Amino acid sequence: MTLDTRYKGIFFMLLAALGFSVMGGSAKLLKGSFNAGQLVFYRNVIGLFVLMAAFLIKPPVNKGVRLRLLVFRGLMGTTALYTLLYCILHIPLGTAMTYNLTSALFIAVFSFLLFREYHGRIVLLAVLLGFAGMLLIYKPAIHFPWYYHAAGLLSGITSALAYLAVGRLNKYYDARIIVLAFVGMGVLIPAVFMCVRSIANIPPDDVFFVEWRWPQGKEWGPVLSMGLAALFGQYFVTRAYGADNAGIVSAIGYANIVFSVFIGMALGDAFPDLMSLAGIICIIGSGVIIALEKKKTKIS
């Protein structure tokens, strides 16, 4: 692995972390105006239009076909987005992003369960450290309903499954096609739910059976910022995970939590208390250890 390749992956992941943090901050600004299902739709429809324009300028070049895996990546990514945005609207931004980034723990767990990939006792201890961190975050935030925490965990689990799929799809598809599977599914699923609600006259809820609503006036700014920042982050995280021998980029992704804590504070969130902060540090440390150990295993 050359230094250039290593730094390229790190740079891509820092850009991705910044993009996702700005997306979260923009979604936070829309609290009270839109619910999670509506934000999923707008976040992805903006990305879809940008991708279509990009394909017209430079058509994608693919090396194979893995359609079922591509659809699976879209479904898991969309589920992760639903649960992440739901959390962003109801709990502090840094905590929501921390739950989402537990994906590194679940990647280690699923890699062992599905592919029998075992990276040693250090990784196992790091996974336990990460789960301890989740308990520390949960305990001081017990005044939040349990389903906010359940949504946060589901966000981490489905993100892990999506990233496992991305790692295998990078060999066959242009990065923009992998992103298209995500944003396309993220437009289709909420659109279907909205149509079913309208036809069957189902009462609207906060997540799936949502009402159609156009942004009004100043709402357009955060809506456009959310969609463009998310596409920016998704593109660069796909590029980062596709970088040759760049396992360390997974650790760099935890910059997302730092960015999100400060963006959340700027928008009115309190700074994490000592127990929450300890939990965040445990999860960051766990992810960094896992990334470095996997990198060391690959090199050896």
Side-chain angles (χ1 to χ4, degrees), residues 116-135:
R116 291 294 182 262
E117 294 178 3
Y118 178 63
H119 298 279
R121 292 181 181 178
I122 293 178
V123 169
L124 177 60
L125 291 174
V127 169
L128 295 176
L129 176 65
F131 281 108
M134 284 191 286
L135 291 175

Side-chain angles (χ1 to χ4, degrees), residues 273-300:
D273 60 27
L274 286 178
M275 288 190 71
S276 295
L277 189 60
I280 290 172
I281 291 171
C282 284
I283 290 173
I284 293 174
S286 169
V288 170
I289 292 169
I290 290 170
L292 294 177
E293 281 299 307
K294 285 186 177 181
K295 176 173 175 278
K296 189 189 300 182
T297 301
K298 181 175 285 189
I299 291 173
S300 63

Side-chain angles (χ1 to χ4, degrees), residues 172-218:
Y172 304 101
Y173 290 101
D174 185 304
R176 295 170 299 164
I177 292 293
I178 301 173
V179 176
L180 177 63
F182 174 40
V183 299
M185 199 68 72
V187 170
L188 179 63
I189 290 175
V192 168
F193 274 114
M194 282 190 278
C195 290
V196 170
R197 192 207 69 79
S198 180
I199 293 170
N201 199 27
I202 299 172
D205 60 27
D206 193 32
V207 183
F208 296 109
F209 295 104
V210 299
E211 294 181 306
W212 170 259
R213 180 185 181 282
W214 283 104
Q216 303 293 324
K218 293 181 179 180

